[in-house]
Amino acid sequence: MSEIHSFGNLPIIAHSWNKDRTQIAVSLGKNDVRIYQKVAGKWKLTHTLCEHLSRVLAIDWAPKTNQIVTASADYNAYVWTFENDIWKPQMVELQRTSRAVCCAKWSPEENKFAIGSSDKNVAVCYYEKDQRFWAAEMIKKKPKSTVTCIAWHPNNQLLAIGSCDYRCRIYSAFVKTVDEQARTSNWGKITNTGELLHEFQSESGWIHDVAFSPLGDNIAWVSHNSIIFAVTADNPSRITMEITSYLPFRCIIFMNESTIIVGGHEFSPLIYNYDQRNGTIDFLEKLDRQETSTGRQSIGRLFDQPAMQTQTPEPVSTHQSMITQIVPYQKENGNLKEIVIEAGQELRGDVDETLTVELRSGKAEIFGTELAIGQKYQFTSGMKFAIFTYWGCTVNIISPHEDYYVARDENPMHIYLNVHGMLEQLRQKAETEKTRGPRIMVTGLPDVGKSTVCRMLVNWAARLGRTPILVDLDVGQNQISIPGTIAAMVVRRPASVEEGFRIEMPLVFHYGYKTPGENIGLYNEIISSMAMYVNIRSENVEKSLISGVVVNTCGYIRQEGYESFKHVAKTFDVDIIIVLDSEWLSTKLTSDLPGVKVITLPKSGGVVPKDAAKDKFRENKIREYFYGPRNNICPHVFTIEFNEIKIYKIGAPQIPDSCLPAGMILKNPYNKILPIAASPALMHHVLAVSSSNDPEQLLAKNILGFVVVQQVDSEKRTLTLLSPQPNVKNKLLIVSDISFVDMK
């Protein structure tokens, strides 16, 4: 659907939007630039920039710095700065330019811009802070004819220009006084300003426009003979071209790495697909689908008509004349940055909205999962990531916010990797001697990175072909199941960078609370049940026996929490305990568990307290269970009658001894199984579907799945449930203190 904005009857020679698309600067073929602002759905003229003496040919509005550069046929270019409600101009020193300045464009980082003129000059302009003026550094190996168009590479240091000598060129635009250091590029080594890296010859026809793809790996241009050209950095010697039957094109942009939009005398923008692997450019569709007239013909056919026959062209598209310029209204990759990570450094991020990562060169990993070169990884709000490289790498980041940084502090990744090496040696020894592999428990204070260390250890093991068992006893932030449970799974392949572990058949036990302290007795009992199943699995599957077990624990270490740690170590028969960032805990465990090897490791500098984010994490984890990690699953909502199910709660409140009859002792109230009547109090609570058919075996049996109570109708005696399945297979349900309000 197109949106039409009208600014009179004059042709628009150039235009540019401000950052939030509420203002637009246009040139209507005169010597001024008019700035309009949208007020109550209509465009209102707010400013007129009058400094040029001849027609303005180019406009570019920098969204971050809010500066406008204009170029004109009067041989000049101006940079306009908005101060005190006035646009103030400053002339750019273009001493060697003696003809019209045809094009001007800001660099992606907006610390410089480039201009091209009809006297064959190309200049990279930047602000001299000491002298307080805009200087221009001319490119010496200039084209042989008028420079008609300019495009910047996303790395801010490469420049593509098109000219009337039928050639497209790529230059180095590195300026020592502006750029800190030369960056890597697939197009060649970036050195001094104006170094010619590539020169591409077109068949014929002067070039009207040129564009880099969002990641900068492809370049495309259009010429006056209606041909589209494209080249990829992987094979710059092969020029792909598409000879079209349309009228000449005047402009071109990339929507993504392969989709191209062109426009010109055809009145309607056209969409093409560039397949760099096969070297083809294929037509997809017209962007403007309003064409209904058949009266338009090619120029050649018009001369074949009888002399007295007149042609009355009918409106065939939204545009009623030639398209002079195409600019993105909303950029998908408008915030792309290329980041170089040195060996031993880590790129850390806490995503606010969305963030896309692509490894361009080198080797890197996220929490032990290796990244593939050229593959895009998307992270959504609330997700955290840490890209570490042992050898150095280059990545592209696309994010509307700068919610990431390169950490240059001391990183414990080498220490963690050494621990993995030690564990692998133990596995190899167990494989040779036909014995049991290592069993590791990771513990420490809250928010020290226990889950991350466990994830890395099992991912590294899986990359070597091992199948370790991961046990997660963190009921608050479980990475296998939803909050309020403990879970275990066999890790056969490294976790997905975006979605985590591919959980096929996890073993899950119901607990029902967010912290172990709310019912420590129940917590210890289900740990014993979990350990029994894990031991059986290890004994029956040799590969799992050799690969070992990695146990993640909660951060609840005081009083009964510490006793629970000892209980975990004994029930799982742990060989090694890894303590993160707690000398006190390490010393105490060494003393109390003399037969277990205790290792103290530092926490990563990227680990921060996350109390405020825990509730959001729990909500997202439950939502992911019902809707999938990418909201690609549609759960079922159905009604079930009260008498079709039985609901239980595990654990009774502790009754003070003073309230009991004399001499009476109440045993084990923590694991008491209590029937619950369906009532409105169950609204939004998570119910666990037990695999047991006997209420007395609820503690000993694992969970099949979960449902959420969305509505309770006491009159009709029905419950409305949200479920991943169209029905409840087992009718024994366990109520949880965990709640989930489905706002989707």
Side-chain angles (χ1 to χ4, degrees), residues 640-646 678-679 712-714 717-719:
I640 191 169
E641 296 183 1
F642 287 177
N643 56 10
E644 294 184 53
I645 57 174
K646 295 181 180 179
S679 69
V712 180
D713 192 329
S714 300
R717 297 183 59 79
T718 59
L719 294 174

Side-chain angles (χ1 to χ4, degrees), residues 344-515:
Q345 293 182 354
E346 191 173 56
L347 177 67
R348 300 167 182 165
D350 189 352
V351 184
D352 287 333
E353 294 181 14
T354 59
L355 184 142
T356 302
V357 174
E358 181 183 14
L359 179 66
R360 304 302 300 159
S361 63
K363 293 183 178 181
E365 61 182 41
I366 294 182
F367 305 139
T369 302
E370 191 171 11
L371 301 182
I373 292 180
Q375 182 174 341
K376 294 181 181 179
Y377 302 94
Q378 295 184 345
F379 300 90
T380 56
S381 176
M383 297 179 68
K384 298 178 184 292
F385 69 91
I387 302 175
F388 183 82
T389 175
Y390 297 97
W391 309 272
C393 68
T394 302
V395 297
N396 284 337
I397 300 286
I398 303 173
S399 175
H401 307 284
E402 291 194 7
D403 42 9
Y404 51 87
Y405 66 98
V406 176
R408 295 176 172 84
D409 53 4
E410 293 186 7
N411 198 296
M413 287 294 294
H414 291 86
I415 302 175
Y416 297 161
L417 189 63
N418 288 337
V419 172
H420 160 68
M422 177 195 69
L423 297 177
E424 180 58 26
Q425 289 180 355
L426 294 175
R427 293 186 184 106
Q428 293 174 0
K429 182 180 178 182
E431 196 169 23
T432 303
E433 300 177 356
K434 303 296 182 181
T435 57
R436 195 190 71 182
R439 293 194 170 194
I440 311 101
M441 183 176 82
V442 180
T443 185
L445 295 168
D447 302 331
V448 293
K450 297 184 294 296
S451 299
T452 301
V453 171
C454 291
R455 180 170 173 173
M456 289 190 294
L457 291 177
V458 296
N459 280 340
W460 285 330
R463 285 165 62 178
L464 295 179
R466 305 296 185 183
T467 57
I469 298 176
L470 174 62
V471 180
D472 199 336
L473 305 180
D474 189 346
V475 294
Q477 300 178 91
N478 199 291
Q479 57 183 323
I480 300 176
S481 181
I482 70 171
T485 63
I486 64 172
M489 64 174 290
V490 178
V491 180
R492 295 183 173 87
R493 61 184 68 88
S496 167
V497 169
E498 303 161 300
E499 302 176 5
F501 291 104
R502 297 174 179 87
I503 303 169
E504 298 170 354
M505 296 180 63
L507 179 66
V508 182
F509 281 87
H510 169 82
Y511 172 63
Y513 304 96
K514 299 176 183 178
T515 62

